[in-house]
Amino acid sequence: VQLVESGGGSVQPGGSLRLSCAASGFTFSSYAMGWFRQAPGKEREFVAAISWSGGNTYYSDSAKGRFTISRDNAKSTVYLQMNSLKPEDTAVYYCAARYGAVYYRGSYYYTKEFEYDHWGQGTQVTVSS
């Protein structure tokens, strides 16, 4: 199993970045996918998640309205489009895979680290003027 993130970099406040996560070694279309991030000195936190089909998405409050998660099952890749970036978005961004559903009984979305089975190595995003 391998998850490889790319697309990170340095950007000015208000700018945009598109992260990609290429998956291999498992049946990508059977897994919900998530993005998490970890800022220096802070715990890793949930950013966004998407169902195996792409039909359901869920965002943290900080990501809602600015970030968009999407996936291409034919390419075994999940994306995170980040717009209107702020300095507080500076972090290492990780993608993660969870076998099965992205939520439980339609209301509880899986946002905890332990709820995901596989992780990438991360890509650095720095937002600074």
Side-chain angles (χ1 to χ4, degrees):
V1 174
Q2 194 171 21
L3 296 172
V4 180
E5 301 95 336
S6 61
S10 296
V11 64
Q12 292 187 339
S16 298
L17 280 175
R18 188 195 196 203
L19 306 183
S20 299
C21 172
S24 61
F26 63 99
T27 306
F28 183 73
S29 58
S30 295
Y31 282 71
M33 298 297 296
W35 285 97
F36 291 72
R37 68 186 183 186
Q38 187 167 20
K42 294 187 176 182
E43 293 186 351
R44 190 149 50 183
E45 64 176 3
F46 170 80
V47 176
I50 188 167
S51 62
W52 60 269
S53 68
N56 284 287
T57 58
Y58 187 72
Y59 298 91
S60 67
D61 287 342
S62 62
K64 206 172 297 181
R66 298 189 300 127
F67 295 1
T68 302
I69 188 171
S70 61
R71 66 189 295 160
D72 184 337
N73 285 347
K75 296 182 178 179
S76 295
T77 301
V78 62
Y79 306 96
L80 185 67
Q81 177 68 45
M82 304 186 295
N83 298 328
S84 303
L85 283 162
K86 306 174 182 180
E88 51 264 44
D89 295 318
T90 295
V92 177
Y93 283 71
Y94 300 88
C95 71
R98 170 189 165 78
Y99 179 74
V102 72
Y103 60 79
Y104 177 70
R105 292 189 176 180
S107 60
Y108 175 82
Y109 281 81
Y110 295 110
T111 63
K112 306 293 192 298
E113 288 185 62
F114 71 87
E115 293 170 332
Y116 286 77
D117 305 306
H118 308 297
W119 291 83
Q121 292 301 306
T123 185
Q124 177 70 46
V125 171
T126 302
V127 184
S128 174
S129 56

